[in-house]
């Protein structure tokens, strides 16, 4: 086992790296879509409450756990968690903190490669003169490997490997390299975001057209920022808000604990974690909400946005809209938008490499280069199928099981460990040691009771989602002593491919495609399971190694 030799160069670098870890593609791609699909202003209020009751407590928990483990020379969650309890099971629960990062980076880097290519296509003028439909098709052709690739076979795969290679190279330079990228990438990201947000906020009705005479950017802004208190009674909106908090803060992954394990023993974590959290919220709530929705509403009207809001809007709609600003500003806006997404992506994906590298260094003495390259190889083996079989749902399976379910399970378990097994009194001392701010003592109660209950509710509701997400109807059924029907999106339904089987019964003409989708979805799950079991095996072997060295 190695002593703690590597550490962050500066507090600013650490906070920017932590904020970069949190500020990712979800801030700009997922947040606006979630807000639109859950009623705009109806979503924002539960979202902010979830940030206070779940987001901030989880940041405190993960920073504390990380620094505590780092003091005893552990830099990844298996042994960080192991140092907090005498029960052996915790080091295997800590496997989530390595598994999730590898599984997520495998497909996350693919989205990063799209943003890189779209910067290139914007500069080359590929989108000039294209209609909205042509640009939408351009994206479909790219991800389905059927065109939009300069005539180079499998170009998306080549670019994916190249972008993953850039991540591996930066990781091989250690914390210093990550810190440099964060110090350059985060200010650029905010600058690009501000340019686009100001443009979105100043559009007004200036771009209404014959096709969309009611287009008004302010409709988009008003939709997002008019509070609707009725939503506070809607469990569906609360679940969406809680889910977005996970995505946006990168909690439940294991990367925050790893970054925090390189902090010096009495260095502040209270102010640092709050600063990183609020930086992320500033980017998400102020910039994330001020770009896609207002700009789309400014050109196409709010009704179009409400009907068409989806993840693909960023790639399928925005390049067309930028063209409407004229050739020169269209290119500037395109570079700002896709450049912003690229920096948001890479500052997050770099964080995902550190838990594996920390573990391999601690347990097997692997250096930075060996650790980074081995991480890259495992991520590549996991990621190639997400590129080749994107249209058959390989990517979506990774995103659901590793990027959603895994986060909630791990966050719930580590909160129970911190507040109930390690003990909230000890935990409170740990959070406040060296703190530059005084944390309100109500957080001691929130972290012990409110946060675990919220996490448990999120998990149970994902497990047993009622049909049509109709929670009011489901609760009424249960109070009448009747069971309710599960939605195809419920975790239990997903296990049996209920969603694909339903699509098959409704669209038999798509039989061949849906059968393939079911096959590849199963294959993706097997691959994820093998990765998880493989990491368990490595952790088990490392524990034998530790036992031998303690006896000798």
């Amino acid at each position: 086992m190695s002593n703690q030799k590597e550490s962050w160069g500066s507090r600013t670098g650490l906070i920017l790296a932590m904020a970069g870890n949190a500020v990712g593609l979800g801030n700009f791609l997922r947040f606006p879509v979630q807000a639109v699909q859950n009623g705009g202003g109806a979503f924002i209020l539960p979202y902010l409450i979830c940030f206070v009751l779940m987001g901030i407590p989880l940041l405190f928990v993960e920073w504390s756990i990380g620094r505590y483990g780092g003091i005893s020379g552990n830099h990844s969650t298996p042994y960080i968690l192991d140092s907090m309890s005498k029960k052996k099971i915790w080091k295997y629960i800590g496997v989530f903190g390595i598994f999730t990062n590898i599984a997520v980076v495998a497909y996350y880097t693919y989205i990063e490669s799209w943003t890189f290519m779209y910067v290139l296509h914007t500069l080359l003028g590929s989108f000039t003169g294209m209609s909205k439909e042509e640009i939408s098709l351009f994206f479909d052709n790219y991800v389905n490997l059927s065109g939009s690739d300069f005539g180079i076979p499998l170009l998306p795969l080549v670019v994916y490997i190249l972008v993953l290679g850039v991540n591996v190279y930066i990781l091989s330079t250690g914390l210093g390299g990550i810190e440099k990228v964060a110090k350059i990438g985060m200010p650029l990201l905010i600058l690009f975001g501000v340019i686009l947000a100001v443009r979105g906020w100043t559009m007004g009705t200036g771009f209404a057209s014959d096709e969309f005479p009611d287009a008004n950017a302010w409709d988009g802004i008003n939709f997002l920022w008019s509070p609707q208190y009725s939503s506070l009674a809607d469990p569906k909106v609360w679940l969406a808000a809680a889910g977005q908090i996970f995505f946006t803060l990168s909690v439940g992954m294991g990367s925050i604990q790893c970054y925090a394990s390189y902090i010096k023993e009495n260095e502040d974590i209270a102010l640092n974690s709050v600063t990183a959290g609020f930086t992320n919220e500033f980017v998400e709530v102020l910039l994330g909400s001020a770009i896609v929705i207002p700009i789309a509403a400014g050109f196409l009207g709010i009704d179009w946005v409400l009907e068409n809001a989806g993840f693909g809007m960023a790639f399928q709609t925005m390049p067309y809209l930028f063209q409407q600003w004229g050739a020169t500003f269209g290119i500037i806006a395109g570079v700002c938008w896709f450049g912003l997404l690229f920096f948001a992506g890479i500052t997050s994906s770099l964080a995902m490499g550190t838990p594996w590298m920390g573990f391999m260094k601690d347990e097997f003495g692997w250096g930075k280069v060996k650790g980074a390259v081995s991480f890259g190889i495992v991520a590549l083996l996991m990621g190639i199928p997400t590129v080749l079989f994107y249209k058959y749902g390989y990517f979506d399976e990774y995103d659901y099981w590793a990027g959603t379910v895994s986060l909630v399970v791990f966050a719930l378990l580590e909160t129970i460990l911190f507040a109930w097994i390690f003990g909230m009194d000890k935990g409170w001392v740990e959070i406040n040691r060296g703190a530059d701010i005084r944390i309100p003592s109500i957080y001691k109660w929130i972290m012990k009771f409110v946060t675990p209950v919220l996490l448990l509710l999120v998990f149970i509701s994902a497990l047993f989602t009622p049909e049509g997400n109709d929670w009011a109807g489901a609760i009424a059924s249960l109070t009448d002593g009747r069971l309710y029907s599960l939605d195809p999106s419920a975790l239990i339904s997903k296990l049996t491919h209920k969603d694909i089987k339903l699509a098959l019964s409704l669209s038999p003409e798509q039989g061949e495609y849906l059968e393939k989708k079911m096959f590849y979805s199963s294959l993706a799950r097997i691959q994820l399971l093998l990765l998880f079991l493989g990491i368990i095996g490595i952790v088990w072997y490392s524990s034998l190694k530790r036992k031998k060295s303690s006896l000798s």
Side-chain angles (χ1 to χ4, degrees):
M1 181 166 16
S2 68
N3 294 320
Q4 184 180 331
K5 289 175 185 167
E6 210 177 2
S7 64
W8 296 98
S10 67
R11 185 172 189 166
T12 308
L14 165 66
I15 290 170
L16 284 174
M18 279 286 199
N21 169 33
V23 173
L25 296 163
N27 294 62
F28 299 99
L29 303 184
R30 195 175 189 276
F31 174 74
V33 174
Q34 286 294 310
V36 167
Q37 290 174 348
N38 290 284
F43 175 79
I44 299 288
L45 207 55
Y47 169 81
L48 293 174
I49 293 168
C50 282
F51 174 64
V52 171
L53 296 181
M54 200 170 76
I56 291 175
L58 280 169
L59 287 172
F60 287 151
V61 166
E62 297 200 347
W63 278 71
S64 305
I65 285 175
R67 187 181 63 178
Y68 182 83
I71 291 165
S72 51
N74 297 307
H75 303 96
S76 63
T77 49
Y79 286 105
I80 289 175
L81 265 56
D82 187 56
S83 67
M84 301 181 76
S85 166
K86 292 185 172 70
K87 296 258 168 62
K88 287 179 183 174
I89 185 73
W90 287 103
K91 74 166 154 279
Y92 295 107
I93 286 167
V95 165
F96 276 105
I98 298 175
F99 160 79
T100 305
N101 286 286
I102 294 173
V104 170
V105 88
Y107 70 85
Y108 195 88
T109 325
Y110 187 34
I111 310 175
E112 249 172 71
S113 74
W114 302 347
T115 66
F116 175 79
M117 281 306 287
Y118 268 64
V119 169
L120 200 60
H121 279 298
T122 302
L123 289 168
L124 293 171
S126 302
F127 304 123
T128 310
M130 277 193 185
S131 69
K132 198 154 84 274
E133 291 70 26
E134 284 171 331
I135 286 178
S136 183
L137 192 63
F138 183 94
F139 175 74
D140 291 340
N141 286 337
Y142 187 83
V143 294
N144 293 331
L145 310 180
S146 54
S148 309
D149 52 13
F150 301 116
I152 301 166
L154 293 180
L155 181 72
L157 182 61
V158 174
V159 178
Y160 166 70
I161 294 167
L162 176 75
V163 170
L164 185 59
V166 170
N167 277 272
V168 168
Y169 171 73
I170 297 166
L171 282 169
S172 72
T173 63
L175 294 184
I178 294 170
E179 209 171 318
K180 270 182 202 155
V181 170
K183 282 180 173 175
I184 298 165
M186 284 302 291
L188 272 177
L189 181 156
I190 290 169
L191 172 69
F192 289 167
V194 167
I195 291 169
L196 290 166
V198 168
R199 193 69 190 95
W201 278 66
T202 55
M203 280 175 70
T205 56
F207 292 89
S209 60
D210 293 341
E211 193 183 351
F212 300 102
D214 299 325
N216 182 350
W218 280 101
D219 287 344
I221 294 159
N222 290 335
F223 176 73
L224 290 172
W225 290 105
S226 302
Q228 295 171 37
Y229 300 106
S230 59
S231 70
L232 294 174
D234 186 350
K236 174 173 105 58
V237 178
W238 280 99
L239 287 174
Q244 181 60 24
I245 289 295
F246 274 98
F247 274 89
T248 192
L249 293 175
S250 296
V251 287
M253 285 191 76
S255 44
I256 290 176
Q257 297 91 320
C258 180
Y259 271 10
S261 70
Y262 294 99
I263 294 172
K264 295 176 182 76
E265 189 171 340
N266 286 307
E267 197 173 323
D268 165 83
I269 56 171
L271 182 60
N272 285 3
S273 55
V274 170
T275 308
F278 274 97
T279 305
N280 175 74
E281 290 309 292
F282 162 77
V283 172
E284 175 151 300
V285 175
L286 286 178
L287 299 184
S289 67
I291 300 173
V292 177
I293 306 306
I295 291 174
F299 283 114
L300 307 167
I302 191 67
D303 292 339
W304 186 94
V305 174
L306 295 180
E307 274 176 44
N308 296 282
F311 175 75
M313 260 177 79
F315 299 93
Q316 290 166 299
T317 308
M318 298 305 276
Y320 170 74
L321 302 183
F322 296 147
Q323 300 299 312
Q324 313 313 303
W325 280 330
T328 307
F329 194 72
I331 288 174
I332 292 168
V335 169
C336 282
W337 174 238
F338 294 112
L340 169 156
L341 291 179
F342 181 75
F343 285 122
I346 201 161
T347 50
S348 296
S349 58
L350 288 172
M352 296 176 206
T354 49
W356 167 270
M357 289 174 65
F359 178 80
M360 298 312 278
K361 184 184 179 191
D362 289 350
E363 305 311 315
F364 303 103
W366 287 18
K368 294 172 198 169
V369 175
K370 198 173 178 183
V373 170
S374 58
F375 170 75
I377 290 168
V378 179
L380 183 63
L381 292 173
M382 290 298 295
I384 286 173
T386 68
V387 181
L388 298 179
F389 310 119
Y390 176 87
K391 64 178 173 186
Y392 296 121
Y394 226 97
F395 179 105
D396 298 331
E397 288 294 322
Y398 278 29
D399 188 42
Y400 181 73
W401 296 106
T404 311
V405 176
S406 183
L407 304 189
V408 181
V409 172
F410 187 48
L412 173 61
L413 292 171
E414 68 178 351
T415 307
I416 291 167
L417 170 67
F418 185 80
W420 292 90
I421 295 169
F422 184 67
M424 198 58 238
D425 290 339
K426 273 170 77 181
W428 192 247
V429 170
E430 187 59 37
I431 295 168
N432 286 285
R433 186 155 44 82
D436 294 336
I437 55 166
R438 186 179 150 78
I439 303 168
S441 52
I442 191 170
Y443 264 104
K444 194 173 178 181
W445 181 80
I446 289 171
M447 290 165 78
K448 189 165 185 179
F449 301 104
V450 180
T451 309
V453 168
L454 271 175
L455 290 166
L456 193 60
L457 286 174
V458 170
F459 181 63
I460 290 169
S461 49
L463 208 58
F464 305 110
T465 313
E467 201 152 0
N469 226 333
D470 176 18
W471 281 100
I475 292 161
S477 292
L478 290 174
T479 50
D480 290 346
R482 292 180 292 113
L483 291 175
Y484 60 82
S485 301
L486 290 179
D487 195 76
S489 69
L491 203 157
I492 288 180
S493 303
K494 283 259 191 191
L495 282 169
T496 57
H497 294 302
K498 186 178 172 181
D499 49 346
I500 302 176
K501 286 172 184 169
L502 181 68
L504 202 54
S505 66
L506 295 172
S507 311
E509 72 281 0
Q510 283 195 295
E512 190 185 346
Y513 165 73
L514 290 167
E515 290 286 356
K516 276 188 175 178
K517 189 172 181 182
M518 208 180 311
F519 170 76
Y520 283 114
S521 294
S522 301
L523 209 58
R525 292 174 192 184
I526 291 166
Q527 201 168 344
L528 288 169
L529 185 62
L530 289 174
L531 175 68
F532 194 81
L533 293 173
I535 299 167
I536 283 179
I538 297 168
V539 170
W540 173 77
Y541 178 69
S542 70
S543 67
L544 290 185
K545 213 165 154 290
R546 280 190 171 210
K547 208 176 276 180
K548 271 185 192 168
S549 63
S550 68
L551 292 171
S552 58

Short mmCIF file of all heavy atoms in Angstrom, two decimals, residues 482-512:
data_model
loop_
_atom_site.label_atom_id
_atom_site.label_comp_id
_atom_site.label_asym_id
_atom_site.label_seq_id
_atom_site.Cartn_x
_atom_site.Cartn_y
_atom_site.Cartn_z
N ARG A 482 -55.84 -2.79 -3.21
CA ARG A 482 -55.63 -3.41 -4.53
C ARG A 482 -54.21 -3.12 -5.01
O ARG A 482 -53.64 -2.08 -4.71
CB ARG A 482 -56.62 -2.84 -5.56
CG ARG A 482 -58.07 -3.22 -5.33
CD ARG A 482 -59.00 -2.62 -6.38
NE ARG A 482 -59.11 -1.17 -6.28
CZ ARG A 482 -58.65 -0.31 -7.19
NH1 ARG A 482 -58.03 -0.76 -8.26
NH2 ARG A 482 -58.81 1.00 -7.02
N LEU A 483 -53.63 -4.07 -5.78
CA LEU A 483 -52.32 -3.84 -6.40
C LEU A 483 -52.52 -3.00 -7.66
O LEU A 483 -53.60 -3.03 -8.27
CB LEU A 483 -51.66 -5.16 -6.77
CG LEU A 483 -51.21 -6.04 -5.59
CD1 LEU A 483 -50.69 -7.38 -6.11
CD2 LEU A 483 -50.12 -5.35 -4.77
N TYR A 484 -51.50 -2.25 -8.03
CA TYR A 484 -51.61 -1.46 -9.27
C TYR A 484 -50.70 -2.06 -10.35
O TYR A 484 -49.79 -2.83 -10.05
CB TYR A 484 -51.24 0.01 -9.01
CG TYR A 484 -49.84 0.23 -8.47
CD1 TYR A 484 -48.74 0.28 -9.33
CD2 TYR A 484 -49.60 0.44 -7.11
CE1 TYR A 484 -47.45 0.51 -8.86
CE2 TYR A 484 -48.32 0.67 -6.62
CZ TYR A 484 -47.25 0.71 -7.50
OH TYR A 484 -45.97 0.92 -7.03
N SER A 485 -50.95 -1.68 -11.61
CA SER A 485 -50.13 -2.18 -12.73
C SER A 485 -48.82 -1.41 -12.80
O SER A 485 -48.80 -0.18 -12.63
CB SER A 485 -50.87 -2.00 -14.06
OG SER A 485 -52.08 -2.69 -14.02
N LEU A 486 -47.75 -2.14 -13.08
CA LEU A 486 -46.44 -1.50 -13.20
C LEU A 486 -46.25 -0.93 -14.60
O LEU A 486 -46.73 -1.49 -15.58
CB LEU A 486 -45.32 -2.52 -12.92
CG LEU A 486 -45.17 -3.02 -11.48
CD1 LEU A 486 -44.04 -4.03 -11.42
CD2 LEU A 486 -44.90 -1.88 -10.51
N ASP A 487 -45.53 0.17 -14.66
CA ASP A 487 -45.20 0.78 -15.95
C ASP A 487 -44.06 -0.01 -16.60
O ASP A 487 -43.23 -0.59 -15.89
CB ASP A 487 -44.74 2.22 -15.71
CG ASP A 487 -44.72 3.03 -16.98
OD1 ASP A 487 -45.80 3.43 -17.45
OD2 ASP A 487 -43.61 3.27 -17.52
N PRO A 488 -44.01 -0.05 -17.94
CA PRO A 488 -42.88 -0.73 -18.60
C PRO A 488 -41.52 -0.16 -18.21
O PRO A 488 -40.50 -0.83 -18.32
CB PRO A 488 -43.14 -0.50 -20.10
CG PRO A 488 -44.61 -0.26 -20.20
CD PRO A 488 -45.01 0.42 -18.92
N SER A 489 -41.50 1.12 -17.73
CA SER A 489 -40.22 1.74 -17.34
C SER A 489 -39.79 1.37 -15.92
O SER A 489 -38.68 1.71 -15.50
CB SER A 489 -40.33 3.26 -17.45
OG SER A 489 -41.20 3.76 -16.45
N ALA A 490 -40.65 0.71 -15.15
CA ALA A 490 -40.29 0.31 -13.78
C ALA A 490 -39.12 -0.66 -13.82
O ALA A 490 -39.01 -1.48 -14.73
CB ALA A 490 -41.49 -0.33 -13.08
N LEU A 491 -38.27 -0.59 -12.79
CA LEU A 491 -37.07 -1.44 -12.75
C LEU A 491 -37.43 -2.92 -12.88
O LEU A 491 -36.80 -3.67 -13.63
CB LEU A 491 -36.32 -1.17 -11.45
CG LEU A 491 -34.83 -1.50 -11.40
CD1 LEU A 491 -34.16 -0.69 -10.31
CD2 LEU A 491 -34.56 -2.97 -11.17
N ILE A 492 -38.47 -3.32 -12.18
CA ILE A 492 -38.88 -4.74 -12.23
C ILE A 492 -39.34 -5.12 -13.63
O ILE A 492 -39.03 -6.20 -14.14
CB ILE A 492 -40.00 -5.01 -11.18
CG1 ILE A 492 -39.37 -4.96 -9.78
CG2 ILE A 492 -40.69 -6.34 -11.42
CD1 ILE A 492 -40.32 -5.20 -8.64
N SER A 493 -40.07 -4.21 -14.30
CA SER A 493 -40.53 -4.46 -15.67
C SER A 493 -39.34 -4.53 -16.63
O SER A 493 -39.30 -5.36 -17.54
CB SER A 493 -41.47 -3.35 -16.15
OG SER A 493 -42.56 -3.21 -15.29
N LYS A 494 -38.37 -3.64 -16.40
CA LYS A 494 -37.18 -3.60 -17.27
C LYS A 494 -36.42 -4.92 -17.24
O LYS A 494 -35.91 -5.37 -18.26
CB LYS A 494 -36.23 -2.49 -16.79
CG LYS A 494 -36.67 -1.10 -17.17
CD LYS A 494 -35.89 -0.62 -18.36
CE LYS A 494 -36.07 0.85 -18.63
NZ LYS A 494 -35.50 1.22 -19.93
N LEU A 495 -36.37 -5.53 -16.05
CA LEU A 495 -35.63 -6.80 -15.92
C LEU A 495 -36.15 -7.86 -16.87
O LEU A 495 -35.39 -8.70 -17.36
CB LEU A 495 -35.73 -7.32 -14.47
CG LEU A 495 -34.81 -6.65 -13.45
CD1 LEU A 495 -35.17 -7.06 -12.05
CD2 LEU A 495 -33.34 -7.01 -13.74
N THR A 496 -37.45 -7.82 -17.14
CA THR A 496 -38.06 -8.83 -18.02
C THR A 496 -38.31 -8.29 -19.43
O THR A 496 -39.06 -8.90 -20.20
CB THR A 496 -39.40 -9.32 -17.42
OG1 THR A 496 -40.25 -8.17 -17.24
CG2 THR A 496 -39.19 -9.99 -16.08
N HIS A 497 -37.72 -7.14 -19.76
CA HIS A 497 -37.88 -6.50 -21.08
C HIS A 497 -39.35 -6.20 -21.40
O HIS A 497 -39.77 -6.26 -22.56
CB HIS A 497 -37.31 -7.39 -22.20
CG HIS A 497 -35.83 -7.56 -22.14
ND1 HIS A 497 -34.95 -6.50 -22.19
CD2 HIS A 497 -35.05 -8.68 -22.04
CE1 HIS A 497 -33.70 -6.95 -22.12
NE2 HIS A 497 -33.74 -8.26 -22.03
N LYS A 498 -40.11 -5.85 -20.37
CA LYS A 498 -41.53 -5.57 -20.59
C LYS A 498 -41.74 -4.43 -21.60
O LYS A 498 -42.66 -4.46 -22.40
CB LYS A 498 -42.20 -5.21 -19.25
CG LYS A 498 -43.73 -5.05 -19.35
CD LYS A 498 -44.35 -4.73 -18.01
CE LYS A 498 -45.82 -4.37 -18.14
NZ LYS A 498 -46.42 -4.03 -16.84
N ASP A 499 -40.83 -3.42 -21.54
CA ASP A 499 -40.96 -2.27 -22.45
C ASP A 499 -40.80 -2.69 -23.91
O ASP A 499 -41.57 -2.27 -24.78
CB ASP A 499 -39.94 -1.19 -22.08
CG ASP A 499 -38.52 -1.71 -21.89
OD1 ASP A 499 -38.34 -2.94 -21.78
OD2 ASP A 499 -37.58 -0.89 -21.86
N ILE A 500 -39.81 -3.57 -24.19
CA ILE A 500 -39.59 -4.01 -25.58
C ILE A 500 -40.71 -4.96 -26.03
O ILE A 500 -41.19 -4.88 -27.16
CB ILE A 500 -38.19 -4.68 -25.74
CG1 ILE A 500 -37.09 -3.70 -25.30
CG2 ILE A 500 -37.95 -5.13 -27.18
CD1 ILE A 500 -35.67 -4.27 -25.32
N LYS A 501 -41.14 -5.83 -25.11
CA LYS A 501 -42.22 -6.77 -25.45
C LYS A 501 -43.52 -6.02 -25.76
O LYS A 501 -44.28 -6.41 -26.66
CB LYS A 501 -42.44 -7.77 -24.30
CG LYS A 501 -41.33 -8.82 -24.22
CD LYS A 501 -41.46 -9.67 -22.97
CE LYS A 501 -40.29 -10.64 -22.85
NZ LYS A 501 -40.25 -11.30 -21.53
N LEU A 502 -43.76 -4.93 -25.03
CA LEU A 502 -44.95 -4.13 -25.29
C LEU A 502 -44.86 -3.48 -26.67
O LEU A 502 -45.83 -3.51 -27.45
CB LEU A 502 -45.08 -3.03 -24.21
CG LEU A 502 -46.30 -2.11 -24.33
CD1 LEU A 502 -47.59 -2.89 -24.05
CD2 LEU A 502 -46.19 -0.93 -23.37
N ALA A 503 -43.68 -2.95 -26.99
CA ALA A 503 -43.47 -2.34 -28.32
C ALA A 503 -43.66 -3.37 -29.42
O ALA A 503 -44.22 -3.08 -30.48
CB ALA A 503 -42.07 -1.73 -28.39
N LEU A 504 -43.23 -4.59 -29.14
CA LEU A 504 -43.35 -5.70 -30.11
C LEU A 504 -44.81 -6.04 -30.39
O LEU A 504 -45.21 -6.27 -31.54
CB LEU A 504 -42.62 -6.93 -29.54
CG LEU A 504 -42.13 -8.03 -30.49
CD1 LEU A 504 -41.25 -7.47 -31.59
CD2 LEU A 504 -41.36 -9.09 -29.71
N SER A 505 -45.63 -6.03 -29.33
CA SER A 505 -47.05 -6.35 -29.51
C SER A 505 -47.79 -5.21 -30.22
O SER A 505 -48.75 -5.44 -30.96
CB SER A 505 -47.72 -6.62 -28.15
OG SER A 505 -47.74 -5.43 -27.38
N LEU A 506 -47.31 -3.97 -30.03
CA LEU A 506 -47.97 -2.82 -30.67
C LEU A 506 -47.49 -2.59 -32.11
O LEU A 506 -48.23 -2.08 -32.94
CB LEU A 506 -47.71 -1.54 -29.85
CG LEU A 506 -48.33 -1.49 -28.45
CD1 LEU A 506 -47.84 -0.28 -27.68
CD2 LEU A 506 -49.86 -1.47 -28.53
N SER A 507 -46.24 -2.97 -32.37
CA SER A 507 -45.67 -2.76 -33.73
C SER A 507 -45.02 -4.05 -34.24
O SER A 507 -43.79 -4.13 -34.33
CB SER A 507 -44.63 -1.65 -33.70
OG SER A 507 -45.12 -0.51 -33.04
N PRO A 508 -45.83 -5.07 -34.58
CA PRO A 508 -45.25 -6.34 -35.04
C PRO A 508 -44.40 -6.20 -36.30
O PRO A 508 -43.49 -7.00 -36.53
CB PRO A 508 -46.48 -7.24 -35.30
CG PRO A 508 -47.66 -6.33 -35.29
CD PRO A 508 -47.29 -5.12 -34.53
N GLU A 509 -44.68 -5.14 -37.10
CA GLU A 509 -43.89 -4.94 -38.33
C GLU A 509 -42.43 -4.60 -38.02
O GLU A 509 -41.55 -4.75 -38.87
CB GLU A 509 -44.52 -3.84 -39.21
CG GLU A 509 -44.38 -2.41 -38.72
CD GLU A 509 -45.36 -2.02 -37.61
OE1 GLU A 509 -46.18 -2.88 -37.20
OE2 GLU A 509 -45.30 -0.88 -37.13
N GLN A 510 -42.16 -4.16 -36.76
CA GLN A 510 -40.79 -3.86 -36.34
C GLN A 510 -40.16 -5.05 -35.62
O GLN A 510 -39.16 -4.90 -34.91
CB GLN A 510 -40.77 -2.64 -35.42
CG GLN A 510 -40.94 -1.32 -36.15
CD GLN A 510 -40.56 -0.16 -35.25
OE1 GLN A 510 -41.20 0.09 -34.24
NE2 GLN A 510 -39.48 0.53 -35.59
N GLY A 511 -40.76 -6.20 -35.81
CA GLY A 511 -40.35 -7.41 -35.09
C GLY A 511 -38.87 -7.69 -35.12
O GLY A 511 -38.24 -7.91 -34.07
N GLU A 512 -38.26 -7.66 -36.32
CA GLU A 512 -36.85 -8.02 -36.45
C GLU A 512 -35.96 -7.06 -35.65
O GLU A 512 -35.07 -7.48 -34.91
CB GLU A 512 -36.44 -7.98 -37.93
CG GLU A 512 -35.05 -8.57 -38.17
CD GLU A 512 -34.58 -8.41 -39.62
OE1 GLU A 512 -35.41 -8.09 -40.50
OE2 GLU A 512 -33.38 -8.60 -39.85
#
